Amino acid sequence: MAPTGDNVVVSKMKLERMLSMKGGKGESSYANNSQAQAQHARSMLHLLKETLDGVQLNSPEVPFVVVDLGCSCGSNTIYIVEVIIKHMIERYEALGSDPPEFSAFFSDLPSNDFNTLFQHLPPLANHGGSMEECLAANGHRSYFAAGVPGSFYRRLFPARSIDVFYSAFSLHWLSQVPETVLDKRSTAYNKGRVFIHGANESITSAYKKQFQSDLAEFLRSRSMEMKRGGSMFLVCLGRTSVDPTDQGGAGLLFGTHFQDAWDDLVQEGLITSEKRDSFNIPVYAPSLQDFKEVVEADGSFTINKLEVFKGGSPLVVNEPDDETEVGRALATSCRSVSGVLVDAHIGEWLSEKLFLRVERRATNHAKELLEQLQFFHIVASLSFA
């Protein structure tokens, strides 16, 4: 009998404790499979800097505080924080003012691999010295750093304490799989699927409702934590279709070869259909309207920019003509973001079997994956008056 994980419905608190990108520095770790996210983030730097130009500058005697929400465990978050701080230093200097001290908070769920993240942090420049000395020290960071474990769907910081919130590639992760999706008696029961791509309207409505409820809680918390004159730059997976059953790039990632691999395990007798049906990826790619409705209903933030941005493919391959490399890239990309949940549901032995089948199927469809797998992102620049 193959070892399996706990066959339980994942509650909000249970998901919060287990959800994370795959930690460590192994082949399927997020740290080694987040190059696409890095490329996409860099392609949006001009939009980020536009947001930063609108942040109110306070007295240099008051520390400037930056937060990355959903930082994960790779080096991307450190790069972005350094871009933000460098830009703000330039703004202070352009006014002939000394820059303040800077603090950066890296926040994610408690299950995040903070140890790997902190290993990427450069040392603090000249501990105990002036900010000018810190800024002059190459290869060192010019900010104080700390990790903050917890869900960004709740309060994380003291009132009026944060100047800039940044969050990229995280808000599409829901706080929980909607309960009705896992209820066999419900019309929203997602039978036969592990994702909502191509599902019926009841299922997608449940996911949309959960996303909008989560985003409302996110905005409510940030509106209490942000300083007057502060700004947020938010990026999450989005879709161009008005039809929520078409989840775009997320649908291709989780609703095709990943879905088929689960079906393989059922057909081979390695898991039951009930075991498959009780697993659902807690991701929703919103439309621009889905997102806008929540921001406007909250009313705390001014929308500076809200648009759909073409991010490109999540696959980073050296040899596009090598079908095996493309298949492996799809499998490791998928595993780096969902592997922890899969391991918890069916155990590591079966998880290995699953992702081998993802790789095999993706290899057989390498050309169409490279042509069709494109991510679109919702990009939001919001100010707090």
Side-chain angles (χ1 to χ4, degrees), residues 68-346:
D68 185 355
L69 296 166
C71 62
S72 193
C73 54
S75 58
N76 293 348
T77 180
I78 296 169
Y79 171 79
I80 288 296
V81 163
E82 290 177 349
V83 166
I84 292 171
I85 291 174
K86 180 181 178 182
H87 191 81
M88 296 312 300
I89 289 171
E90 290 172 352
R91 284 194 59 202
Y92 275 97
E93 290 177 340
L95 296 175
S97 173
D98 292 332
E101 291 190 325
F102 288 88
S103 291
F105 291 111
F106 299 91
S107 181
D108 212 315
L109 295 175
S111 48
N112 185 56
D113 184 2
F114 284 101
N115 285 335
T116 294
L117 169 61
F118 293 149
Q119 288 170 15
H120 288 293
L121 270 178
L124 181 63
N126 192 25
H127 178 66
S130 68
M131 178 54 64
E132 289 77 9
E133 292 171 320
C134 288
L135 296 174
N138 292 327
H140 291 68
R141 58 186 161 91
S142 57
Y143 56 92
F144 298 96
V148 180
S151 170
F152 54 38
Y153 294 126
R154 295 198 300 272
R155 285 284 303 276
L156 292 166
F157 302 97
R160 306 287 172 256
S161 63
I162 309 300
D163 293 280
V164 173
F165 281 111
Y166 175 91
S167 182
F169 319 121
S170 298
L171 277 168
H172 49 264
W173 287 98
L174 306 177
S175 66
Q176 67 180 77
V177 175
E179 293 179 1
T180 54
V181 171
L182 298 169
D183 184 353
K184 294 181 180 180
R185 301 163 298 178
S186 169
T187 57
Y189 180 52
N190 200 18
K191 183 174 175 61
R193 289 187 175 87
V194 297
F195 190 49
I196 61 168
H197 188 68
N200 68 47
E201 186 177 347
S202 296
I203 297 167
T204 55
S205 293
Y207 266 75
K208 175 183 175 181
K209 182 178 179 181
Q210 185 66 56
F211 169 80
Q212 292 192 318
S213 173
D214 286 342
L215 181 58
E217 290 298 326
F218 176 91
L219 294 175
R220 190 174 299 117
S221 296
R222 305 296 83 77
S223 69
M224 289 185 274
E225 297 165 344
M226 183 167 278
K227 295 177 185 177
R228 296 291 177 187
S231 292
M232 281 199 295
F233 187 79
L234 309 176
V235 181
C236 72
L237 282 182
R239 66 176 196 274
T240 55
S241 172
V242 295
D243 179 8
T245 67
D246 179 3
Q247 286 284 292
L252 285 174
L253 186 64
F254 294 123
T256 54
H257 307 304
F258 182 69
Q259 171 70 59
D260 292 339
W262 282 90
D263 296 340
D264 288 343
L265 295 187
V266 173
Q267 292 165 9
E268 294 168 28
L270 293 173
I271 62 172
T272 64
S273 59
E274 289 79 10
K275 189 72 171 177
R276 174 199 60 202
D277 296 347
S278 61
F279 180 86
N280 281 265
I281 292 288
V283 164
Y284 179 78
S287 67
L288 208 59
Q289 187 61 27
D290 291 341
F291 202 100
K292 186 177 181 181
E293 287 173 0
V294 183
V295 178
E296 291 182 340
D298 174 82
S300 300
F301 295 91
T302 300
I303 299 175
N304 303 316
K305 190 180 290 290
L306 183 59
E307 63 182 49
V308 176
F309 188 91
K310 185 176 180 180
S313 174
L315 303 181
V316 177
V317 293
N318 295 319
E319 299 291 338
D321 294 330
D322 186 341
E323 295 178 347
T324 301
E325 184 183 357
V326 174
R328 187 180 303 115
L330 187 281
T332 53
S333 176
C334 194
R335 192 171 193 173
S336 70
V337 297
S338 68
V340 170
L341 292 178
V342 175
D343 290 355
H345 192 73
I346 59 175

